[in-house]
Amino acid sequence: MKAASLNQRRDEIMDIAVEILTERGYRDTSMLEVAKRASASKETLYAWFGDKRGLFEAVIQRNAQAVQTVLAHHLAGNAPAERVLMAFGCALLELLLGDGAVAINRAAISEARADPTLAQTLASAGREATLPAFIQFLELHRKRGVLRIDTPSEAAEDFLGLLLGDTQVRRLLGLLSAPRKAQINARAARATHAFLRLYAA
Amino acid sequence: MKAASLNQRRDEIMDIAVEILTERGYRDTSMLEVAKRASASKETLYAWFGDKRGLFEAVIQRNAQAVQTVLAHHLAGNAPAERVLMAFGCALLELLLGDGAVAINRAAISEARADPTLAQTLASAGREATLPAFIQFLELHRKRGVLRIDTPSEAAEDFLGLLLGDTQVRRLLGLLSAPRKAQINARAARATHAFLRLYAA
DNA sequence: AAAAAACCGTACCAGTGGGTACGCTTGCTC
DNA sequence: GAGCAAGCGTACCCACTGGTACGGTTTTTT
């Protein structure tokens, strides 16, 4: 049970890191405050995560992993395309526009120059892990004759575009607050509908 | 000629500010370096722009203004819808994905928590100034019977989504470099084509 | 040409945060 | 229960940056 409670503690610290990250932004999140609020010592933080970057890299990886499993689950079933698109869209919106994800993306973006590592990690653990599954889903339905698609990867990007519009950027800029369930449903429905108008066989 | 050369000097300083912003990011852009590279004194900078935030607020405003006039120009003519969409799309991509614009958006995003002012300014001088013109353009062509659109504002967002996909975010994350002319054309063409498939009467 | 305003360069101040070192406590192992 | 490792709290070092003050020089105005 030692290993279990150790991981639990790690999670606890990462939760707090995200919490402070959302309140303050990356640069104004001090290791001291993370330590204090977690009732940990700075030295422990540095021992466990290496440095500030390491801490948030761990945070990003954990988060992306969680996202990945949720999305993969939605794509796995054998439901009709429309239903899958709808569910996938809702999940994606919820995961991408939530406060935590926004804070993380902001961090990766602000450090993109000084330290591309965060963005790299975010990309490879996030988009690069999920998109192939979505493309595979599109190809499956193309073979079934449900969708008429030339280039699945482009079609995938179209769906993302229709789904998000410029909402994500506006969210990152702080011009929007996290959307409610109803708004998420509406967006996903609109995107699904438009996508099918474009690509339904 | 005093006023002219004064404005010229202001522009010069703002150019340098953007230059350093693109190489270092907002937080790591020091007023001292801006002053030095502009052969100006810190005190002058503070006298002219108030503080760091003021300097970059001025930068944002100037930039947004430039963007605004370019885009408005494309929307103004009386060309067929497809041609306008194509031109507008290209211009928008070029302006939104260029190094300068990316640096500015990154700055606004990183400071979104600590100081929402930059993002606010960016929004009101940028999107809020241009989108209405685009919506008006859509409405015009609806009335002409060229486009079948329920809600112009939603259609506008669809076009933006199709145009950008998640390219802008990936660009902000530093995963992409500024696109070449050919890529811009391809994207704009695809978006225009898809948009017309969705909304052509 | 003289007076006045603007401006450059430099030095200075205060606050801050990442990262390290160290003593003391806690809790697990044997 | 003794020994040992892990971890908490604090203090410390160092570098840096935003913002201000000041003296000397250039430029404008009159």
Side-chain angles (χ1 to χ4, degrees):
Chain A
M1 66 174 157
K2 177 186 153 195
S5 80
L6 209 80
N7 278 353
Q8 206 174 329
R9 184 85 175 111
R10 257 182 86 95
D11 273 348
E12 205 178 314
I13 289 177
M14 287 195 270
D15 286 341
I16 285 168
V18 173
E19 188 181 306
I20 300 181
L21 186 68
T22 56
E23 321 180 345
R24 302 227 190 293
Y26 185 74
R27 277 311 232 270
D28 294 334
T29 293
S30 80
M31 293 296 269
L32 179 62
E33 188 170 359
V34 175
K36 263 187 180 166
R37 213 182 282 188
S39 297
S41 94
K42 267 175 79 175
E43 193 160 7
T44 306
L45 256 58
Y46 280 97
W48 284 15
F49 298 98
D51 57 15
K52 189 176 175 179
R53 189 182 112 312
L55 170 59
F56 286 98
E57 194 144 334
V59 166
I60 288 175
Q61 238 146 14
R62 186 188 60 154
N63 204 276
Q65 170 99 25
V67 169
Q68 223 279 343
T69 56
V70 170
L71 292 182
H73 178 265
H74 282 291
L75 290 173
N78 217 359
E82 180 172 351
R83 197 169 290 278
V84 174
L85 286 174
M86 185 68 192
F88 178 69
C90 283
L92 197 60
L93 286 175
E94 195 165 336
L95 292 169
L96 240 51
L97 302 181
D99 285 328
V102 167
I104 287 175
N105 274 277
R106 276 187 191 147
I109 288 174
S110 10
E111 300 307 300
R113 275 286 144 190
D115 170 26
T117 328
L118 294 180
Q120 297 278 3
T121 305
L122 187 57
S124 46
R127 183 190 150 102
E128 285 170 30
T130 300
L131 203 64
F134 184 53
I135 291 177
Q136 216 169 340
F137 157 82
L138 292 179
E139 252 165 0
L140 175 70
H141 283 80
R142 177 181 63 174
K143 275 181 186 146
R144 282 189 188 169
V146 180
L147 298 177
R148 186 189 310 144
I149 295 179
D150 298 338
T151 325
S153 67
E154 286 184 350
E157 208 179 330
D158 285 344
F159 182 70
L160 287 183
L162 289 168
L163 186 67
L164 290 167
D166 64 344
T167 314
Q168 193 182 7
V169 173
R170 271 156 71 210
R171 187 85 179 81
L172 290 171
L173 284 167
L175 307 170
L176 258 46
S177 44
R180 302 267 161 247
K181 262 266 166 25
Q183 298 168 311
I184 288 181
N185 276 334
R187 281 205 82 88
R190 261 184 56 73
T192 304
H193 190 217
F195 184 79
L196 290 179
R197 260 193 293 159
L198 280 177
Y199 289 114
Chain B
M1 69 173 155
K2 176 188 153 195
S5 82
L6 209 80
N7 279 353
Q8 207 175 328
R9 184 87 175 109
R10 257 182 85 96
D11 272 349
E12 206 178 313
I13 290 178
M14 287 194 270
D15 286 341
I16 286 168
V18 173
E19 188 182 305
I20 301 181
L21 186 67
T22 56
E23 11 184 292
R24 303 228 190 293
Y26 185 75
R27 275 314 231 268
D28 295 334
T29 293
S30 81
M31 293 296 270
L32 179 62
E33 189 170 0
V34 175
K36 264 187 180 165
R37 214 183 282 189
S39 295
S41 93
K42 267 175 77 176
E43 192 160 7
T44 306
L45 257 57
Y46 282 96
W48 285 15
F49 298 97
D51 58 15
K52 188 175 177 180
R53 189 180 112 314
L55 171 58
F56 286 97
E57 193 143 332
V59 165
I60 288 175
Q61 237 146 14
R62 186 188 61 154
N63 204 277
Q65 171 99 24
V67 168
Q68 223 279 342
T69 57
V70 170
L71 293 182
H73 178 264
H74 282 292
L75 291 172
N78 217 358
E82 179 171 352
R83 199 169 288 279
V84 174
L85 286 173
M86 185 68 191
F88 178 71
C90 284
L92 198 61
L93 284 175
E94 195 165 336
L95 293 169
L96 240 51
L97 302 181
D99 285 328
V102 167
I104 288 175
N105 274 277
R106 277 187 190 145
I109 287 173
S110 16
E111 300 306 301
R113 274 287 143 194
D115 170 25
T117 328
L118 294 180
Q120 298 278 1
T121 305
L122 186 58
S124 46
R127 183 190 150 102
E128 285 170 30
T130 300
L131 204 63
F134 184 52
I135 290 175
Q136 216 169 339
F137 158 83
L138 293 179
E139 252 166 1
L140 174 71
H141 283 80
R142 178 182 63 175
K143 275 180 187 148
R144 283 190 188 166
V146 179
L147 298 176
R148 186 187 308 143
I149 296 179
D150 298 338
T151 324
S153 66
E154 286 184 350
E157 208 178 330
D158 285 345
F159 182 69
L160 287 183
L162 288 168
L163 187 67
L164 290 167
D166 64 344
T167 314
Q168 192 181 9
V169 172
R170 270 156 71 210
R171 186 87 179 81
L172 291 171
L173 284 167
L175 307 170
L176 257 48
S177 43
R180 302 268 160 246
K181 264 269 172 14
Q183 299 169 311
I184 288 180
N185 276 333
R187 281 206 81 89
R190 262 185 54 74
T192 303
H193 191 216
F195 184 79
L196 290 178
R197 260 193 293 159
L198 279 177
Y199 289 113

